[in-house]
């Protein structure tokens, strides 16, 4: 990890430590503005998980996806929630304890350094992977950990390839910058890495092109 990447990571940790208590509130705001809960449900559905499967939620934050993943894998399945920030995982742990889930493992790790367990049945990242400079390597590492026929799914924001792109800086300032997002991140295209490392890949554009779901199968 070079110095610039290290500094960016440290900045993200500070931002999410400060905002962890309010993240669930902002997630609800995102749902109102971007219909994000519907997109999360679609992303989890695209994982094509079965009861008893093991799934990695990379950049899990406060565990917003956990209830959807629990329904997909059942009590005999396993969810591995990975996040960079201790404060976000503390909120995720409260959610797990409140719901009484005994099949959730929480791991504090930089996504670029996380060692995926072998033979997992699905990997998902929602509104997180674009924050990771090494996203390409992360996707490749995850691909190698997937069992054959299993899927990597990324749900994230992007600049649309249409005239609405002119509004991207304003939306980024209002909705993304408070969580460490920058316009420089618009040059990161995780969906291209999904296409590169996985087969049967596709990208679904949502919310007028500002949101996408990328799906790839090993």
């Amino acid at each position: 990890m070079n110095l610039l990447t290290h500094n960016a990571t440290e900045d993200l940790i500070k931002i999410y430590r400060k905002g962890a208590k309010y993240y669930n509130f902002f997630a609800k705001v995102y749902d109102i503005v971007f219909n994000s809960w519907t997109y999360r449900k679609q992303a989890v559905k695209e994982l094509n998980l079965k009861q008893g499967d093991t799934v990695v939620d990379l950049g899990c934050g406060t565990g917003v996806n956990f209830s959807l993943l629990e329904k997909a894998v059942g009590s005999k399945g396993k969810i591995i929630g990975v996040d960079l920030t201790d404060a976000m995982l503390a909120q995720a742990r409260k959610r797990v304890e409140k719901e009484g889930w005994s099949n959730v493992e929480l791991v504090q790790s930089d996504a670029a350094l996380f060692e995926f367990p072998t033979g997992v049945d699905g990997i998902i990242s929602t509104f997180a992977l674009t924050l990771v400079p090494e996203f390409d390597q992360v996707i490749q590492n995850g691909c190698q950990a997937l069992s054959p026929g299993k899927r990597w799914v990324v749900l994230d924001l992007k600049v649309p390839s249409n005239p609405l792109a002119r509004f991207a800086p304003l939306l980024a300032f209002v909705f993304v910058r408070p969580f460490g997002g920058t316009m420089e991140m618009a040059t990161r295209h995780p969906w291209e890495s999904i296409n590169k490392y996985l087969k049967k890949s596709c990208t679904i554009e949502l919310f007028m092109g500002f949101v996408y779901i990328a799906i790839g199968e090993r």
Side-chain angles (χ1 to χ4, degrees):
M1 182 182 296
N2 62 44
L3 181 59
L4 289 176
T5 301
H6 175 75
N7 289 340
T9 299
E10 289 298 313
D11 288 343
L12 280 177
I13 291 173
K14 291 177 183 177
I15 289 169
Y16 280 92
R17 277 179 177 163
K18 186 179 294 185
K21 292 181 180 179
Y22 312 104
Y23 186 85
N24 290 332
F25 167 77
F26 281 107
K28 291 179 181 178
V29 173
Y30 270 55
D31 187 25
I32 294 170
V33 177
F34 294 110
N35 200 25
S36 61
W37 183 248
T38 298
Y39 302 151
R40 288 178 188 271
K41 288 194 291 186
Q42 185 174 347
V44 170
K45 182 179 179 181
E46 294 293 350
L47 281 169
N48 199 27
L49 293 167
K50 297 179 176 60
Q51 298 286 293
D53 279 353
T54 296
V55 58
V56 176
D57 187 352
L58 196 65
C60 68
T62 63
V64 177
N65 296 329
F66 289 175
S67 62
L68 297 171
L69 295 172
E70 280 285 341
K71 289 179 182 179
V73 303
S75 59
K76 293 184 179 179
K78 183 176 182 180
I79 299 168
I80 303 172
V82 183
D83 202 85
L84 176 66
T85 312
D86 50 359
M88 296 290 275
L89 287 175
Q91 296 298 315
R93 189 167 291 107
K94 289 181 180 179
R95 187 190 299 270
V96 170
E97 291 172 354
K98 179 181 178 181
E99 298 295 336
W101 295 323
S102 60
N103 60 339
V104 180
E105 176 185 348
L106 299 177
V107 181
Q108 184 179 354
S109 176
D110 187 320
L113 302 176
F114 177 63
E115 295 185 8
F116 289 88
T118 57
V120 296
D121 302 297
I123 305 170
I124 189 169
S125 179
T126 60
F127 303 114
L129 201 55
T130 302
L131 295 169
V132 181
E134 307 92 344
F135 67 88
D136 183 83
Q137 185 62 50
V138 172
I139 290 173
Q140 184 179 26
N141 291 345
C143 172
Q144 294 169 351
L146 280 172
S147 294
K150 301 301 182 178
R151 293 182 176 181
W152 227 126
V153 174
V154 176
L155 165 62
D156 220 322
L157 303 172
K158 72 175 185 67
V159 176
S161 53
N162 59 49
L164 292 174
R166 71 184 69 177
F167 298 106
L170 175 61
L171 290 174
F173 181 80
V174 175
F175 295 105
V176 182
R177 188 176 178 183
F179 295 98
T182 65
M183 284 306 298
E184 182 273 331
M185 292 177 184
T187 63
R188 301 173 186 171
H189 299 164
W191 64 89
E192 294 179 351
S193 298
I194 292 287
N195 293 338
K196 179 166 59 172
Y197 297 118
L198 295 147
K199 61 183 182 179
K200 296 182 181 178
S201 61
C202 69
T203 302
I204 302 168
E205 290 198 351
L206 305 161
F207 196 73
M208 300 172 289
F210 284 98
V211 178
Y212 72 91
I213 298 176
I215 308 145
E217 184 177 301
R218 182 172 183 189

